[in-house]
Amino acid sequence: MASFSTCDSKTIFFFFGLRAACLSLCLVGSVAELQRFEHPPKADGSLSFLVVGDWGRRGLYNQSQVALQMGLIGEKAEIDFVISTGDNFYEDGLTGVDDPAFNESFSNIYTAPSLNKQWYNVLGNHDYRGDAEAQLSPVLRKIDSRWLCLRSFIVNAEIVDFFFVDTTPFVDDYFTNPKNHTYDWRGVTPREDYLSNLLKDVDSALKNSSAKWKIVVGHHTIKSAGHHGVTQELVTQLLPILKANNIDFYVNGHDHCLEHISDTHSEINFFTSGGGSKAWRGDIKWWSPEELKLYYDGQGFMSIQMTKASADVAFYDVFGNVLHKWSLSKHLRSATDRTFTYA
């Protein structure tokens, strides 16, 4: 039988340890990179949450009033969490993890007890104009434990899977025609590789999802009658993946309005919740009445209440008035909607 000296044994242990480490790295690199978080529904299996976007203005432009109504609706609906569709801090994101804007536009504004829940946030184009990585830092979570922001990630909530997608790097103009803006592309370049990997990861995650509902959240619009309108890069690159995987909703901000648009070519419903502060009154493009269920050019937010069998969506204005209600039954795939007008 062969025997090994102490030196030989160390060499062998090093060799096998190195081989194991390499194997581990290969395995990690072969699976989807999107980080997952678990958020269980209520005991009865239901889930309730609010969606707000384009908000961070230190309480100005009715941000504080929207936050007040969010607190009231959040209490009534017994929400489980809040989703932010990006542009979290205006005009140019955060300067760093110690930027007072984090408290002045977030912690000190959304103070209602019902909003003391987890916030799931994506980055918008304005966030990329500052220190984008500051918003991703765990330091902010220590300052306010509600805050969770990553470029792209997944939240598993049993009856529904949420896929948060970093949409800003898709937009060509931010790279080719940034004007007088400086974007923080750390972690994104080389852009082609970043987008290719992201699209593969999203497609893979959607294909592997066994949840009854699939909701994709991004900052930029895919369908919108608002100021920015359609984001062609997402229509070309992301939308085919969403259609192929039969998602239910795409939820976004970017346009400072509230919208609900259906799709005559698929069963996807598109919701814009970008009315968290400054809105663009009267800024609307023509859209097919067959698809446009709601366009509201003021401040507000939306709520979604879900069970395994149904989803109830509501849009609210800055006074807490219901602008639009829409329901979808998963079993029959039947939808009902009501739109409200206030003088």
Side-chain angles (χ1 to χ4, degrees), residues 36-304:
R36 293 176 179 267
F37 299 88
E38 304 292 329
H39 200 121
K42 297 180 178 68
D44 64 0
S46 66
L47 195 71
S48 178
F49 55 95
L50 303 181
V51 184
V52 65
D54 303 84
W55 42 267
R57 297 184 185 272
R58 293 179 167 86
L60 301 177
Y61 294 97
N62 285 339
Q63 184 194 358
S64 294
Q65 286 80 358
V66 172
L68 173 64
Q69 295 302 327
M70 288 175 63
L72 296 174
I73 299 300
E75 181 178 7
K76 192 178 300 183
E78 298 182 346
I79 62 167
D80 298 285
F81 54 84
V82 179
I83 288 175
S84 168
T85 56
D87 277 1
N88 307 316
F89 302 98
Y90 284 95
E91 290 285 331
D92 298 313
L94 295 178
T95 59
V97 294
D98 56 352
D99 190 335
F102 181 72
N103 285 322
E104 294 167 358
S105 289
F106 177 63
S107 297
N108 298 346
I109 301 297
Y110 302 101
T111 56
S114 68
L115 304 181
N116 189 27
K117 302 290 174 64
Q118 186 68 63
W119 282 57
Y120 296 110
N121 308 272
V122 292
L123 296 172
N125 53 297
H126 282 269
D127 300 312
Y128 266 102
R129 293 178 187 174
D131 183 347
E133 294 196 346
Q135 293 195 46
L136 313 179
S137 172
V139 172
L140 294 189
R141 295 181 217 170
K142 293 179 181 178
I143 297 173
D144 192 321
S145 61
R146 298 177 295 174
W147 185 263
L148 195 154
C149 183
L150 297 173
R151 297 187 196 276
S152 300
F153 60 102
I154 300 169
V155 174
N156 301 125
E158 294 184 16
I159 61 171
V160 54
D161 280 346
F162 297 86
F163 305 85
F164 293 80
V165 180
D166 184 21
T167 60
T168 301
F170 283 91
V171 181
D172 293 334
D173 261 2
Y174 302 147
F175 293 85
T176 61
N177 186 30
K179 300 178 182 178
N180 61 336
H181 303 300
T182 300
Y183 291 88
D184 180 8
W185 296 128
R186 290 175 297 167
V188 171
T189 54
R191 180 190 178 207
E192 293 76 14
D193 293 343
Y194 179 82
L195 294 179
S196 175
N197 290 333
L198 176 55
L199 289 169
K200 288 176 184 176
D201 289 346
V202 171
D203 186 36
S204 174
L206 285 168
K207 279 183 168 59
N208 290 325
S209 172
S210 59
K212 192 73 173 178
W213 301 86
K214 299 177 187 179
I215 299 177
V216 176
V217 180
H219 176 65
H220 290 78
T221 57
I222 291 181
K223 283 178 173 276
S224 173
H227 175 80
H228 294 295
V230 172
T231 306
Q232 193 57 49
E233 295 91 339
L234 295 184
V235 172
T236 302
Q237 299 177 67
L238 181 62
L239 184 56
I241 292 173
L242 306 188
K243 287 184 174 181
N245 288 286
N246 300 311
I247 76 158
D248 297 286
F249 308 147
Y250 178 77
V251 184
N252 61 270
H254 198 44
D255 270 338
H256 296 190
C257 59
L258 302 174
E259 295 180 275
H260 174 197
I261 299 179
S262 64
D263 185 8
T264 54
H265 303 293
S266 74
E267 294 186 333
I268 303 174
N269 282 270
F270 297 83
F271 300 113
T272 296
S273 185
S277 58
K278 188 177 183 179
W280 297 325
R281 184 70 69 183
D283 199 343
I284 180 174
K285 300 177 178 70
W286 184 89
W287 200 278
S288 167
E290 185 181 357
E291 291 190 341
L292 187 61
K293 310 300 183 185
L294 169 72
Y295 184 90
Y296 178 69
D297 57 354
Q299 293 106 343
F301 59 99
M302 63 181 291
S303 71
I304 302 182

